[in-house]
Amino acid sequence: MKIIGTGRALPKHTVTNDMLSEILDTSDEWIVPRTGIHTRQVITDETLQELSCAAACQALSDSGLKPEEIDFIICSNVANNYITPAMSAFIQEATGCTCPFFDINGACAGFIDALDIADAFMQSGRAQNVLIVAAEEVTKFCNWEQRETSVLFGDGAGAAVVQKDDVPCYTVLTGDSHHKGCITYLRPMEKTPYEKDGMAIHQPMIMKGRDVFRMAVTTSPRDLRNVIAKAGMKPEDVTFFLVHQANKRIVDAIRENLNLPEEKFPTIIDHTGNTSSASIPLLIDEVARQGRFKKGDVLALSAFGAGFVTAAAILTWGK
Ligand code: COA
């Protein structure tokens, strides 16, 4: 499988660490060394639907394909205002595609889950081209009373068009529900006449930061080694490692574990924060726009998140 087009849309409002220190007991001096984050883009008067559609249209145009050549649209999203219809319905309308569409929630690993599903469609002969969009507005559900979580996140949408190739997309997906308490968020739904009182619990996001950190730096190098072996490659064969942008220290720890040079691990966390599943397609799009990819480059992707889920993939740059 190869990537033949990418796109992005970020909210226009930039929030600096100093701006956060005006509303929270935090500081640039605390945030930068622990996370590598300087600024993040935060939704104000945009909607996530608008951002997803803009990123999708850009990726489609970049791919050079016509809307009718897309066989499936998959949107990765943890939460947005609409419980239904799916975000991908808005994307189909905006892009002029006519194919089936659906959303998935794979937490921060959702973009790689979508690649895995797209590859299965390709291997079964049901798809040649798939449009994948990952769109997240994490700032709308992180806990703004809590400095531990709110300084980490940003919003945005990234998109990619992937095409069937001689070589499949190699993937490794894992799930470990024993660690589901690492990140949880509970929101109430409509109250029915039959529901017992006290059932509609609201619990803002809880994140055990140190546990997540430990899980991430252990699982990501393991997944990357496994997926590289599955593809019959060696780490040196990979041109770029595109790792979920949760924390610069996590990216550095993964790179040090694999003993690879810094230039193989591009990052955008300094100006996006953690955008959940949107982080990898946003990273790919930015590296592409810097002109750093060459046709045939091998890309290794790795992500981890609430669940606790992890995912890694190997595919090629096809433009
Ligand atoms: N500003 C100032 N102080 C803060 C703070 C903030 N934004 N957030 C936490 N603190 C304080 C805590 O209250 C705690 O204080 P205490 O020691 O007096 O109790 C202390 O800083 C914790 O510091 P430390 O233990 O050095 O933090 P850390 O090195 O574990 O870093 C994270 C915290 C959250 C940055 C780090 O654990 C992390 O990035 N984890 C992964 C989170 C993640 O990626 N989540 C999403 C996964 S998809």
Side-chain angles (χ1 to χ4, degrees), residues 28 145 148 163 165 195 211 215 231 243 261 282 297 308 315:
D28 190 59
E145 310 268 290
E148 286 85 350
Q163 187 167 68
D165 200 11
E195 201 176 304
D211 290 354
M215 292 286 289
V243 175
L282 283 170
D297 275 355
F308 196 87
L315 73 170

Side-chain angles (χ1 to χ4, degrees), residues 24-27 30-31 34-35 108 147-149 151-153 183 207-213 216 244 246-247 249-250 274 276 304-306 308:
L24 291 161
D25 181 14
T26 192
S27 63
W30 191 93
I31 298 168
R34 283 178 184 76
T35 68
C108 299
R147 59 185 181 175
E148 286 85 350
T149 50
V151 304
L152 301 177
F153 297 103
I183 311 170
M207 188 188 70
K208 297 179 187 159
R210 289 199 156 190
D211 290 354
V212 175
F213 197 102
H244 173 44
N247 183 323
R249 280 161 60 214
I250 294 179
N274 179 346
S276 186
F304 43 83
F308 196 87

Side-chain angles (χ1 to χ4, degrees), residues 94-157:
T95 52
C97 294
T98 49
C99 59
F101 52 80
F102 55 86
D103 285 12
I104 60 166
N105 176 358
C108 299
F111 180 74
I112 301 180
D113 293 346
L115 286 174
D116 196 40
I117 296 167
D119 188 59
F121 281 138
M122 289 176 187
Q123 298 310 316
S124 69
R126 292 179 68 195
Q128 184 72 22
N129 304 302
V130 179
L131 170 60
I132 300 175
V133 183
E136 305 285 7
E137 47 186 351
V138 196
T139 66
K140 294 264 191 87
F141 59 89
C142 67
N143 185 353
W144 282 92
E145 310 268 290
Q146 222 187 58
R147 59 185 181 175
E148 286 85 350
T149 50
S150 46
V151 304
L152 301 177
F153 297 103
D155 305 320

Side-chain angles (χ1 to χ4, degrees), residues 167-186:
V167 186
C169 177
Y170 295 97
T171 54
V172 167
L173 308 186
T174 80
D176 182 353
S177 57
H178 292 104
H179 295 278
K180 63 183 181 304
C182 275
I183 311 170
T184 52
Y185 171 76
L186 209 62

